Amino acid sequence: MSLGESERIIPKHIGIIMDGNGRWAKLRGLPRSAGHRAGAVTFKEITRYANKIGVKCLTVYAFSSENWRRPEKEVKYIMSLFKSYLKDAVNYADENIKTRFIGDRSVLDKDLQDLMEYNENLSKDATGMVLNIAINYGGRQEILRAAERVLEKGLSLTEENLTANMDTENFSEVDLIIRPSGEERISNFLLWQSAYAELVFSDILWPDFKPEDLDAAIDEFSRRNRRFGGV
Ligand code: FPP
């Protein structure tokens, strides 16, 4: 049963593990690349919808530090999808979404890095939702990066200092993590930020994920009694 507007609590920060592209394609007798292409369409639709309903920050797991283990052809295809999305994204300025990238971009192609920087600069003054796209991202690696930043600044390693130096900057807590496709794991996503996150899993494969499914996950989030370790 879906909740009424007044009962729905829109999470400030949502993380999504966009999983199931390969299986979606396989079910249709298509190459995995077709699944990623369809996944990119879903990504755009869900991003726009999240901004529309008032989510303040959306972090999507687009490519993990572990995804390099995939066949070279598939990795190349995913990288080319990122590039074409970013070339296209310059036309989305009117959506007022602030795009940021999290993860280690230093090993990515120079032209992809340039496009990332270009999009970040272009949208830096947007006042709508912050969209963090995680590329070559791993939660453990991010914690280490934050620790390095803290030490470089001559600060002590405290929880507060680490929090302030995570890639996610001002959105250092994630309220809701959604993983479609039937897998029930965090897979090195937002480890530090998810200490108190609600986790919602669903069997839907990412290319089939619709705004209604985001609503259903938000309804589930709203129903849970969040106690932060208290009573
Ligand atoms: C996981 O599905 C998906 C990925 C590793 C790639 C995610 C990329 C996109 C959704 C498209 C592009 C995104 C942007 C930002 C333009 P999987 O391949 O692991 O699926 P499987 O578990 O069914 O094999």
Side-chain angles (χ1 to χ4, degrees):
M1 198 189 69
S2 61
L3 294 181
E5 291 278 306
S6 61
E7 296 163 298
R8 186 172 285 163
I9 303 164
I10 302 289
K12 200 169 142 200
H13 182 183
I14 300 181
I16 304 185
I17 302 177
M18 304 186 289
D19 197 10
N21 297 346
R23 278 163 286 166
W24 182 92
K26 196 172 175 201
L27 277 171
R28 287 161 179 76
L30 297 169
R32 293 178 60 81
S33 55
H36 294 313
R37 195 163 56 235
V41 173
T42 299
F43 153 73
K44 278 189 246 175
E45 188 183 18
I46 295 298
T47 298
R48 284 200 186 109
Y49 184 66
N51 185 35
K52 189 176 131 199
I53 63 175
V55 173
K56 297 284 176 238
C57 178
L58 175 70
T59 301
V60 292
Y61 210 179
F63 195 85
S64 76
S65 329
E66 290 73 35
N67 283 151
W68 298 106
R69 295 185 198 135
R70 295 182 177 221
E72 199 187 331
K73 200 169 138 212
E74 182 172 343
V75 170
K76 274 200 170 138
Y77 186 79
I78 295 174
M79 294 298 157
S80 73
L81 265 183
F82 294 156
K83 283 182 203 167
S84 56
Y85 166 73
L86 290 176
K87 281 182 194 153
D88 217 31
V90 295
N91 303 317
Y92 308 157
D94 57 331
E95 288 180 34
N96 198 22
I97 293 174
K98 182 170 173 167
T99 305
R100 309 255 314 122
F101 296 90
I102 62 169
D104 175 11
R105 66 180 83 177
S106 68
V107 297
L108 303 174
D109 278 4
K110 177 79 173 66
D111 47 348
L112 179 55
Q113 286 189 44
D114 289 348
L115 277 167
M116 290 159 84
E117 210 182 306
Y118 184 72
N119 270 274
E120 283 179 338
N121 283 330
L122 196 71
S123 66
K124 70 179 188 324
D125 297 323
T127 52
M129 185 178 79
V130 171
L131 168 67
N132 290 317
I133 306 180
I135 298 183
N136 191 26
Y137 174 86
R140 287 181 179 172
Q141 293 86 333
E142 184 196 22
I143 294 168
L144 289 174
R145 259 196 310 281
E148 274 165 14
R149 286 182 197 128
V150 167
L151 297 178
E152 267 167 23
K153 292 176 188 169
L155 300 169
S156 52
L157 268 180
T158 62
E159 198 175 312
E160 225 174 29
N161 287 340
L162 264 188
T163 297
N165 283 279
M166 302 303 286
D167 293 355
T168 42
E169 296 184 346
N170 300 331
F171 291 95
S172 53
E173 290 286 337
V174 62
D175 305 294
L176 167 65
I177 291 189
I178 303 170
R179 183 169 195 161
S181 97
E183 309 290 347
E184 300 192 351
R185 286 186 298 280
I186 285 292
S187 299
N188 208 12
F189 185 51
L190 299 179
L191 293 184
W192 183 265
Q193 296 86 343
S194 64
Y196 291 100
E198 294 293 341
L199 310 179
V200 171
F201 300 105
S202 89
D203 288 335
I204 301 161
L205 301 173
W206 176 247
D208 289 329
F209 199 89
K210 296 275 169 284
E212 303 87 88
D213 301 310
L214 185 63
D215 283 341
I218 292 175
D219 283 356
E220 176 64 34
F221 169 85
S222 307
R223 279 188 205 104
R224 295 188 192 170
N225 181 8
R226 306 177 77 217
R227 292 192 297 269
F228 294 98
V231 286

